[in-house]
């Protein structure tokens, strides 16, 4: 029985990673150059609140590997192995930190405390998104500085691009997750009540 439940979590994790990757193909560049909306954060956020940190981190890792192979290398977004590893597997895995508020979120959502549940979900989303884009910010300075507009301060440029992407993506994810919590709260509650990272009742 326990193996069956773990298999269910693994399957959910794989499906979410694939879904996040599929959403990446939706046009997501804003009117400001290089600032992007990251739709893939939405399913990862749902998984993080539903299953916890570890499954969400694994989903992020798989998503990062897929994005590296399918888009990063061929799209010219990989300058060298170190930058590729940093901005794909590592940065994407850190999205799993959304699950840091999993236990508190589950307690609130199971108790029908939607306001509290929303607060914990939003806090987790902010943490995970900030962690991901902090890595991109550092990489933007270290590896992409030469591509900044002539005369621009690379720290400021990286902050604008990555900070803007983080802000837009965080707001988008919070809005969608907030709507889902209102119309389909059952989406965030696993019937078996299990996670690899915790044993919530």
């Amino acid at each position: 029985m326990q193996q069956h439940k773990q298999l269910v979590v693994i399957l959910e994790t794989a499906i979410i990673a694939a879904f996040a990757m599929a959403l990446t193909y939706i046009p997501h560049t804003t009117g400001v150059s290089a600032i992007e909306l990251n739709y893939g954060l939405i399913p990862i956020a749902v998984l993080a609140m539903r299953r916890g940190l570890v499954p969400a981190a694994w989903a992020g890792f798989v998503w990062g590997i897929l994005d590296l192979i399918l888009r990063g290398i061929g799209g010219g977004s990989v300058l060298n192995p170190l930058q590729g590893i940093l901005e794909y597997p590592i940065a994407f895995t850190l999205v799993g930190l959304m699950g840091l508020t999993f236990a508190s979120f589950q307690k609130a959502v199971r108790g029908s405390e939607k306001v509290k549940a929303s607060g914990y979900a939003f806090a987790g989303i902010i943490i995970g998104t900030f962690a991901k884009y902090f890595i991109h910010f550092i990489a933007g300075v270290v590896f992409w500085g030469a591509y900044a507009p002539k005369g621009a301060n690379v720290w400021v440029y990286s902050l604008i691009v990555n900070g803007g992407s983080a802000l837009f993506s965080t707001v988008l994810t919070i809005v969608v997750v907030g709507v889902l919590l209102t119309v389909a709260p059952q989406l965030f509650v696993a019937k078996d009540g299990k996670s690899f990272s915790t044993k919530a009742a």
Side-chain angles (χ1 to χ4, degrees):
M1 182 63 73
Q2 184 62 29
Q3 289 183 337
H4 172 72
K5 290 177 179 178
Q6 291 185 347
L7 179 59
V8 170
V9 176
I10 292 172
L11 288 174
E12 284 186 18
T13 301
I15 291 170
I16 288 295
F19 186 36
M21 185 64 233
L23 289 175
T24 306
Y25 286 98
I26 298 175
H28 56 280
T29 301
T30 68
V32 182
S33 178
I35 293 181
E36 299 180 340
L37 285 170
N38 201 322
Y39 303 112
L41 292 173
I42 298 169
I44 300 294
V46 173
L47 181 66
M49 295 303 115
R50 177 182 169 88
R51 290 295 186 179
L53 188 153
V54 175
W58 273 110
F61 174 77
V62 174
W63 175 26
I65 293 295
L66 290 173
D67 201 35
L68 171 65
I69 295 172
L70 298 177
R71 297 176 70 247
I73 296 175
S77 296
V78 178
L79 302 177
N80 57 64
L82 179 59
Q83 176 265 333
I85 292 172
L86 188 66
E87 288 209 85
Y88 287 91
I90 293 178
F92 282 67
T93 298
L94 288 176
V95 174
L97 291 176
M98 290 180 178
L100 283 174
T101 60
F102 166 75
S104 297
F105 170 84
Q106 284 292 312
K107 183 178 179 180
V109 79
R110 289 171 186 270
S112 298
E113 298 178 283
K114 290 188 177 181
V115 175
K116 281 189 176 181
S118 296
Y120 289 125
F122 298 165
I125 290 167
I126 291 170
I127 292 169
T129 305
F130 173 83
K132 179 181 189 296
Y133 281 98
F134 179 75
I135 296 297
H136 294 311
F137 166 68
I138 297 300
V141 173
V142 177
F143 299 105
W144 295 98
Y147 297 87
K150 187 175 181 180
N153 182 293
V154 294
W155 290 91
V156 174
Y157 182 71
S158 183
L159 180 62
I160 291 173
V161 172
N162 292 297
S165 297
L167 178 61
F168 279 97
S169 298
T170 298
V171 171
L172 173 68
T173 305
I174 284 176
V175 169
V176 175
V177 168
V179 171
L180 290 175
L181 270 171
T182 301
V183 301
Q186 68 277 8
L187 190 65
F188 298 87
V189 180
K191 291 183 179 180
D192 55 45
K194 298 293 183 181
S195 165
F196 284 170
S197 59
T198 187
K199 291 186 178 181

